[in-house]
Amino acid sequence: MNASLKKFYIIAWIFGLIFYFLDYVIRSAPAVMLPELVSNFNTTELKLISIVGTYYYTYSTCSLIAGIALDKFGGKNSLFVGALILGIGCLLFLISSQVAGVSGRLLQGAGCAFAFPGCVYLASKGFSSKSLATAIGFTQCIGMLGGTAGQFVVGPWVEEGLNIDTFWLWSGIATIITAFGLFFVIPTEKKAEESTEAGAKSVGYLEPYKIVFRNPQSWLCGMISGLLFAPTTIFAMTWAVAFFEKDKNFVFHDAAITSAMVAFGWVFGCPLLGFITDKIGRRKPVLIGGAIVMILSLLQLIYLPELYPAKISMFILGLGSGAAMIPYSVIKEANPDFVKGSATGAINFITFGVTTLLNPLFSKWFGKSLGLSTGDLHFQHAILFWISGIVLAILISLLLKETGNKAEKA
């Protein structure tokens, strides 16, 4: 690929970052408007959190579709359709019915499934392998800025009386405008010729996934990433506000800001850890180091809460959990070049498949008893649940093959 075309892909990647930013705003915003959404959909808080959690059902499954679409149809059509679906999902939240709520959240998950794989796909076209992990880390940084805005900014707006219909209306409009922007900016690709040049003649729609899923390293990458993602996607972005309010007696404003600090930590952690792993040419030491930082931050939060404020603990958790993005580089390096899109779709599927499985477990064991049992003890047990998952991620990481530049030279 010539240098001029690479520049066009970098510009397209920047537009993709807007899509990913909106993805995380929409993903995290419901956590700071639970009472308003309960009223809007005429339901209970527990049922509402179940509605919000349906996002991950379509997010995980549609990640596979996104991967196939990117490899077969390129970024232009795939990202346009994904962003358009997300916009429609936002607009459905304007309808005051549980059916509309579930349908809207399912469409939001389906649309968002195209955002990150699309950005990684565009980045892989525009950046060299030496800087890809840094680019992926920066991509996640922008997503986490969206997650931060979805709580830091939207939370105070709602507290000051913002009508949630206004939020969902403008979220939908902004996303649909972004969809058309992506369509006009992303270069047109001739996928059939590209596949032939890459040595992937006559590859069927499912063949790229056969290649990716037959590789044990792909499964290890997905499980590690899923276990490291879960404390942020399930706890911080869905449950944390309620847990800090009811178990720790925080006022709503403080609970919202504290939970948002995880996403804020990601803003720094993702590009920083991506840069470090590119700089040292190894993936596993940074991956395991980030996971250990996560464990230490959570242990401090439950056993030494007076050492420093919960906001700092959650920020450090987010900083360390930037390591969850490293397997996204590993899976691309562990699979052939002509399945780049499918590799990202596959890891998203496995990652958020883990999230989809853990969410109802956490809800059953800790969500239903929220506010009914001893606050501190209940909070400790809930956090230990996530710590056990991070420990498991570290153990699985030991089975992962090193794919960094230094390993290749060795």
Side-chain angles (χ1 to χ4, degrees), residues 90-113:
C90 291
L91 296 179
L92 281 175
F93 261 41
L94 297 171
I95 302 172
S96 298
S97 78
Q98 290 184 38
V99 173
V102 171
S103 301
R105 199 61 175 164
L106 288 172
L107 286 179
Q108 289 168 25
C112 286

Side-chain angles (χ1 to χ4, degrees), residues 243 358-370 378 381-382 385:
F243 267 77
L358 290 177
N359 189 37
L361 281 178
F362 185 78
S363 177
K364 181 179 179 181
W365 293 347
F366 304 103
K368 287 184 177 178
S369 55
L370 184 60
H378 183 262
H381 289 166
F385 175 87

